[in-house]
Amino acid sequence: MDILEIKNIVSESLELKRSFFDETAPRVLEAGQMLVEALQAGHKALAFGNGGSAADAQHFSSELINRFVADRQGLPAIALTTDTSTLTSVANDSDYRYVFSRQVEALGNAGDVALAISTSGHSNNVLEAVKACDQLDMRTIGLTGRDGGKLKSLVDICLNVEHSETSRIQEVHAMIVHLLCQMVDESFSREGS
């Protein structure tokens, strides 16, 4: 790698963000409003994904529980990617495809919001969890990539990054997570003022 290649990668990432948010900003705002309304009503957020998307789910929940930027009350959020005993128990006793859906069944309630993250849109365990959310009358936000995969048609709001490279998709997903958290911060810090 050289300096020119670094600059080209950064330029590609910036252009993808620019084009994505030029087109999709209204849906990002809608997703943020859905999340804020659920939290204001006393509901919680659940988040899940695999690999880098698992890290994004954990980042999202930690920002809600602690804070993003503003000093505000902690808010209820659970990353379904963190309980290794539950994950390995379900994977061992049943099937890895149910590691998130079993947790949704146990922890989710009507009115909660789920953030389902899959760069391909085809992760079976994410799809099963979204189906479980639907059974519980939970609202769902999907972060996906490429053509949106199967996830695109299963969630209430799909924020699809139409790109083929996972790393570029995840860079946009990270920004979406930050924007959702900032909307929550602004809403809850205004309430406390």
Side-chain angles (χ1 to χ4, degrees):
M1 182 174 287
D2 59 22
I3 291 172
L4 181 59
E5 190 174 356
I6 290 171
K7 289 182 177 182
N8 287 339
I9 290 169
V10 170
S11 292
E12 180 185 4
S13 181
L14 291 172
E15 183 51 41
L16 179 60
K17 286 185 181 99
R18 186 177 296 109
S19 64
F20 173 83
F21 289 105
D22 280 350
E23 181 180 324
T24 316
R27 283 200 306 270
V28 174
L29 182 61
E30 182 184 356
Q33 290 168 336
M34 176 195 297
L35 177 61
V36 166
E37 287 168 10
L39 294 169
Q40 286 173 333
H43 299 292
K44 66 184 167 297
L46 303 179
F48 43 88
N50 298 288
S53 298
D56 287 338
Q58 290 167 221
H59 183 177
F60 172 74
S61 68
S62 69
E63 300 289 17
L64 293 184
I65 290 170
N66 183 21
R67 64 181 196 140
F68 180 58
V69 175
D71 192 15
R72 54 144 175 87
Q73 71 188 69
L75 298 166
I78 305 168
L80 303 184
T81 56
T82 59
D83 184 342
T84 53
S85 296
T86 296
L87 292 168
T88 56
S89 169
V90 174
N92 185 63
D93 296 348
S94 179
D95 191 300
Y96 187 72
R97 156 177 61 156
Y98 302 117
V99 294
F100 301 137
S101 61
R102 291 293 287 172
Q103 293 183 77
V104 168
E105 291 168 10
L107 302 170
N109 294 295
D112 290 346
V113 173
L115 184 66
I117 311 172
S118 170
T119 57
S120 69
H122 291 294
S123 301
N124 284 329
N125 55 4
V126 172
L127 299 174
E128 290 297 328
V130 170
K131 291 173 190 173
C133 290
D134 186 53
Q135 293 295 313
L136 292 170
D137 200 25
M138 292 174 58
R139 303 296 308 272
T140 51
I141 301 165
L143 303 188
T144 189
R146 298 179 178 84
D147 66 356
K150 295 176 183 176
L151 184 61
K152 187 175 187 175
S153 64
L154 294 178
V155 293
D156 294 308
I157 299 173
C158 183
L159 303 174
N160 180 46
V161 182
E162 292 182 19
H163 198 277
S164 60
E165 196 169 330
T166 298
S167 56
R168 299 291 88 81
I169 295 165
Q170 289 174 331
E171 288 159 8
V172 179
H173 286 181
M175 183 143 216
I176 295 167
V177 165
H178 281 172
L179 289 167
L180 295 175
C181 292
Q182 187 162 341
M183 287 183 245
V184 168
D185 263 19
E186 288 175 1
S187 175
F188 279 85
S189 45
R190 275 197 306 268
E191 284 181 4
S193 306

